[in-house]
Amino acid sequence: MDWSIEESPVDYLTAQAAMEARVAAIHAGIAAEQVWLLEHPPLYTAGTSAREADLLAPGRFPVHRTGRGGQFTYHGPGQRVAYVMLDLAQRGRDVRAFVGQLEQWVIGTLASFNVRGEVRPGRVGVWVQTPTGKAKIAAIGLRVRHWVSFHGISLNVEPDLEHYSGIVPCGISDAGVTSLVALGLPVTMADVDVELRRSFRAVFGD
């Protein structure tokens, strides 16, 4: 298993090409599984279920159409993106169960900061309670090719939450988004990376 952490924001198309190449190499048996931690410059991505009406500010940031599942989401500085390239042929061949493991990975990470994450019926991702109600703190968008996963999760550490106003995030208009810092936790990206790795081992093993 390879863990890679980028120190500078990574262009989205560059990341997508790198994932495609890694997935092919894993399928061919010539590369190890990888978890790739990074940030992107501000941008919106549209999953396979994205509705054009949910792009409220089409000229604000670049919009990338992607083959992952889900709808519109935002990526930007202060958000930890974890691209997860795992060989599901060796991990049960159950995509639904794998999505549940990704959610538990995030929930375990949040618990390290005494934040209670939860899932909501019919809605992929991880939610927390805020003074104004439930808010989403982590999104999950996944693609699987030849039983190798790619794309993954995005966890809000300290992004500019106003940037979400250009979309209806994940098609959900009746709940907001939040971050660890917005919840009053002055954690750093390095802190989050440590706990992501610890929680990953607890859910997926070494």
Side-chain angles (χ1 to χ4, degrees), residues 106-168:
V106 174
I107 288 170
T109 300
L110 295 174
S112 302
F113 302 105
N114 296 314
V115 173
R116 182 177 180 271
E118 59 186 68
V119 296
R120 301 182 69 184
R123 294 182 172 182
V124 174
V126 178
W127 304 73
V128 295
Q129 183 66 46
T130 75
T132 57
K134 303 285 187 188
K136 197 169 191 176
I137 196 167
I140 295 175
L142 193 65
R143 190 172 182 184
V144 176
R145 179 182 297 152
H146 303 303
W147 288 109
V148 181
S149 68
F150 56 123
H151 297 280
I153 69 170
S154 55
L155 173 61
N156 289 339
V157 180
E158 193 180 6
D160 186 338
L161 295 176
E162 196 278 329
H163 288 176
Y164 278 91
S165 66
I167 56 172
V168 178

Side-chain angles (χ1 to χ4, degrees), residues 69-84:
Q71 300 184 41
F72 278 103
T73 194
Y74 166 76
H75 294 311
Q79 180 190 74
R80 177 49 89 212
V81 173
Y83 287 138
V84 184

Side-chain angles (χ1 to χ4, degrees), residues 31-82:
E33 297 176 309
Q34 183 182 32
V35 178
W36 189 16
L37 304 181
L38 53 81
E39 295 170 83
H40 285 305
L43 58 92
Y44 298 128
T45 65
T48 55
S49 302
R51 298 176 299 217
E52 288 304 314
D54 288 344
L55 180 60
L56 306 179
R60 185 171 188 185
F61 296 128
V63 178
H64 295 281
R65 311 288 166 175
T66 176
R68 65 159 174 80
Q71 300 184 41
F72 278 103
T73 194
Y74 166 76
H75 294 311
Q79 180 190 74
R80 177 49 89 212
V81 173

